[in-house]
Amino acid sequence: KAKRQGRNTYQWYTDELNRKVFERVNLRHALQQAIEQSQFELHYQPQIYGPTGQVSGVEALIRWYHPERGNISPGQFISLAEDTGQIMPISEWVLERACRDAVRLNASATMPVTMAVNISPMQFQRSGFLASIQRVLKQSGLAPELLELELTEGVLMESTEHAIQTLQDLRSLGVHIALDDFGTGFSSLSYLKHLPINKLKIDRSFVRDVVTDPRDAAIVDGVVTMVAKLGLEVLIEGVETAEQYEYLNARHSTYFQGFYFARPMSFSALRSFLDESPHPFSGPEPPST
Ligand code: C2E
Ligand code: MG
Ligand code: MG
Ligand code: MG
């Protein structure tokens, strides 16, 4: 009996493995088509500067509309695209589109709006990365100060010397650098001392229970204080409720991003949002006084 069970387990395991391999091959082909047929779009999520309540920037987030499967989230295809190298043409398209949209946005906006773009590890580590940034800035005409590149801890910890040099070169261009998802990787605080970054984005996992869990509050307080003393800016990600925003905004002078302010939206929706949202920002439902 034990033998049969073992066999069943083995059978289940190989079926599961086959299914996963099959799904990956499928997705890879679908991605190739998506690249060729331009099935991607960028959505933009506003970022708010707490002390003024103004929208200071937006983050570009890729969207994939598959003709049969519908929406496929970046969480489902970005890491596969990294493995297959398909991330390169995708990233190039993202950068170009984001910079062009940033120029259009700033032509009509009353305040400068920064464009934050997520950069994948492969993209960052490739030798032509700096040149591609220079080219995209030149072609779009975007002021370098309005471009912010979001990198994750993993990217910056590998090949440190090359990474630091690249960051310094980007900073010399005037481009801003943000460290994304801070607190989720195996970060060593010592690199904060050496990396020429501008901003740190505290991961949303610390925000979810920040109002009720003193441990999360302690982490956020500590990180914000430390990072401010290092002379860096801080953005708190994943703010979903008025309570979270009020709690955090009362304690810290930081940037904010999250569903409470706005979900990622199309370029045209963003335009209306910027035109219609009150300045300073007071949230979807202004707190009753
Ligand atoms: P990220 O860079 O940390 O982006 C923030 C993610 O959190 C986005 O998910 C956004 O929709 C979501 N988010 C924002 N506010 C809230 C909130 O209040 N609550 C919750 N629960 N979620 C919130 P999205 O768009 O699914 O993107 C997931 C990840 O995929 C991104 O995480 C980023 O790592 C990657 N990604 C997205 N677009 C690109 C891209 O163009 N290039 C690259 N290389 N990666 C991308
Ligand atoms: Mg990001
Ligand atoms: Mg993030
Ligand atoms: Mg993330």
Side-chain angles (χ1 to χ4, degrees), residues 154-183:
V155 180
L156 299 178
M157 281 168 68
E158 289 160 33
S159 64
T160 318
E161 212 152 281
H162 171 69
I164 292 179
Q165 189 55 54
T166 306
L167 292 179
Q168 269 159 359
D169 293 342
L170 289 165
R171 289 289 301 276
S172 313
L173 292 180
V175 170
H176 288 223
I177 310 289
L179 185 53
D180 204 355
D181 302 342
F182 183 79

Side-chain angles (χ1 to χ4, degrees), residues 59 118 152 180-181 184 203-204 237:
E59 177 175 7
N118 290 286
T152 52
D180 204 355
D181 302 342
T184 57
D203 190 72
R204 68 167 184 265
E237 288 192 274

Side-chain angles (χ1 to χ4, degrees), residues 243-258:
E243 290 72 33
Q244 290 167 345
Y245 176 53
E246 279 154 22
Y247 181 92
L248 291 164
N249 195 40
R251 285 164 181 76
H252 305 298
S253 300
T254 61
Y255 294 86
F256 294 97
Q257 185 180 344

Side-chain angles (χ1 to χ4, degrees), residues 176-195:
H176 288 223
I177 310 289
L179 185 53
D180 204 355
D181 302 342
F182 183 79
T184 57
F186 302 94
S187 38
S188 121
L189 292 178
S190 72
Y191 76 57
L192 283 183
K193 210 169 74 175
H194 303 294
L195 290 179

